[in-house]
Amino acid sequence: MDDAGWPRVFHLLFYTCLAMAVTIATLEDGPDPVGLGLSALLGAWYTFFIARRPALLERLNPMAWHFLVLVVLNYALVRTNSSYQAMAYGLIAMPYLLLPGRWGYAGAVLFVLSSAAAAGAIEAIPGDPSVLAFVLGSTALTLIMGIFTHELVKHSEQNRIVGALEERARLAREIHDTLAQGFSGIIAQLEAAEQGIDDPEAVRKRIALAKQLARDSLKEARRSVDALRPEPLERAPLHEALRGVAERWSAATGVPATVSVDGEPRRLPEEVEATLLRAAQEGLANVAKHAGARRAALTLSYMEEEVTLDVLDDGTGFDPAGTQGGYGLIAMRERAARSGGTVTVESAPGEGTALCVSIPCA
């Protein structure tokens, strides 16, 4: 439940208990102008000074004063008619909702004692010591409820922090997979255009490719921020989206890239498809930056219990044991791991590179 959800629950509980107490008192003793007037005042005060001012919750000033008004009105109602003791269920959580930190515990004790006094329990203690045990037990139960509430809030806050960190990491990966790769491609096209400045036609072609890369990167960045599927997957199934990625990469680099599909294509979970598409983009980006390859090949294999993507090139290769791994490979492994998958790299100097992403989909 979100931060605004809990106050709404407490508001609903308050109004329900107020309506129930008024109904019980009216049915048992008939309409009482004093009780009805105090009930209306209690409801109006709660509505205008608490329910409609969520930004002031847990601020000692003015919420401590509003809480005291609720305590006084509840005391007057219970003194008027014992049926209004049902209001305790709607007000018992108010100290922890309205007051900050330890003030909530103090408010809870005040509410329990005032309610007991209104019901005549304090006066009855000298003649019946068991009443004291009841009052002390009610106080202890209320304090335990406060401890539980604060622990629940603390746990929820920790979950929000973890969620925020995970979302930050997701955005970092998305930015790397879109903006960083796009900028790298744009720089490469502009450098090529600069080198071929004496060939106006070649320059125009390179600038056109750079502009297209910029547009694609901008669209992807917007979709990443909105936590949507990658744009190619919005328009086509995974295997066709991979072909589109390969075609655009080949047009930008001049290196031919082929895409083949093994098995019967089928719909996969969105996270799995996004992971494989990003892996293809990152793999091809690494081929362009480091491999010096003459060709590249992507193979998407649909198996019974898993799906794999292989990105192969015939470039210079490298020693996997000696590389520290760029952020792209780290991010790729993190993304695959979230779907229960793995990333393996096989390469050797002068023998090209084989990148394999395997994700269970059964």
Side-chain angles (χ1 to χ4, degrees):
M1 186 177 295
D2 59 19
D3 292 341
W6 288 114
R8 285 196 293 266
V9 170
F10 289 129
H11 298 336
L12 177 61
L13 179 63
F14 170 83
Y15 291 120
T16 300
C17 290
L18 178 60
M20 181 177 64
V22 171
T23 301
I24 294 173
T26 302
L27 291 176
E28 288 185 349
D29 303 314
D32 176 19
V34 175
L36 293 175
L38 288 173
S39 298
L41 179 58
L42 177 63
W45 193 278
Y46 186 90
T47 299
F48 289 103
F49 294 106
I50 296 176
R52 297 183 63 180
R53 298 188 178 186
L56 298 180
L57 295 179
E58 295 192 61
R59 291 191 182 181
L60 191 59
N61 183 19
M63 283 302 164
W65 302 108
H66 296 322
F67 175 69
L68 288 176
V69 172
L70 297 183
V71 170
V72 171
L73 290 176
N74 179 71
Y75 178 90
L77 278 170
V78 175
R79 296 294 290 184
T80 300
N81 191 318
S82 61
S83 298
Y84 285 102
Q85 292 183 67
M87 276 304 303
Y89 297 103
L91 290 171
I92 194 67
M94 286 301 113
Y96 305 114
L97 176 66
L98 306 183
L99 306 178
R102 296 179 179 178
W103 288 101
Y105 296 108
V109 172
L110 174 63
F111 174 73
V112 171
L113 294 179
S114 68
S115 298
I122 303 297
E123 300 172 3
I125 290 176
D128 186 1
S130 64
V131 176
L132 176 60
F134 173 77
V135 173
L136 293 177
S138 299
T139 304
L141 183 61
T142 303
L143 293 176
I144 291 173
M145 186 182 74
I147 294 173
F148 173 77
T149 301
H150 285 153
E151 288 299 320
L152 182 64
V153 170
K154 184 188 299 183
H155 182 69
S156 299
E157 180 65 24
Q158 291 173 345
N159 286 342
R160 284 196 295 271
I161 293 174
V162 171
L165 292 175
E166 290 179 348
E167 180 65 9
R168 185 178 299 174
R170 182 193 71 80
L171 286 175
R173 288 190 294 269
E174 294 292 343
I175 289 172
H176 175 271
D177 290 341
T178 55
L179 294 182
Q181 293 182 15
F183 285 145
S184 296
I186 292 170
I187 291 172
Q189 295 303 318
L190 294 179
E191 288 177 345
E194 186 179 32
Q195 293 174 0
I197 194 68
D198 296 330
D199 186 349
E201 184 61 30
V203 170
R204 282 195 294 270
K205 180 180 177 181
R206 295 296 184 181
I207 292 177
L209 287 172
K211 290 167 63 178
Q212 186 59 47
L213 284 171
R215 294 190 186 100
D216 292 343
S217 297
L218 181 59
K219 290 179 182 178
E220 285 287 359
R222 288 170 176 168
R223 289 178 178 272
S224 297
V225 172
D226 293 336
L228 297 177
R229 286 161 57 83
E231 185 184 6
L233 294 177
E234 292 285 339
R235 302 192 303 260
L238 176 60
H239 60 284
E240 294 183 6
L242 289 176
R243 289 194 175 97
V245 168
E247 290 173 0
R248 288 191 294 273
W249 181 83
S250 294
T253 62
V255 178
T258 61
V259 177
S260 58
V261 179
D262 291 339
E264 185 66 26
R266 62 182 183 272
R267 198 68 176 177
L268 301 172
E270 290 187 1
E271 181 67 18
V272 174
E273 291 190 343
T275 297
L276 294 172
L277 182 71
R278 295 305 190 200
Q281 292 173 325
E282 179 62 32
L284 289 175
N286 286 334
V287 172
K289 287 186 290 186
H290 308 300
R294 291 173 296 177
R295 63 179 61 86
L298 281 69
T299 303
L300 180 65
S301 302
Y302 291 91
M303 291 171 275
E304 184 175 350
E305 296 184 352
E306 66 179 6
V307 60
T308 63
L309 174 69
D310 296 290
V311 181
L312 311 175
D313 70 73
D314 62 352
T316 57
F318 63 96
D319 181 6
T323 183
Q324 299 298 315
Y327 180 82
L329 187 57
I330 295 173
M332 194 187 306
R333 283 177 170 149
E334 290 177 350
R335 185 189 288 273
R338 287 202 331 232
S339 300
T342 58
V343 176
T344 59
V345 179
E346 296 182 2
S347 184
E351 297 184 9
T353 300
L355 170 73
C356 178
V357 181
S358 178
I359 301 178
C361 59

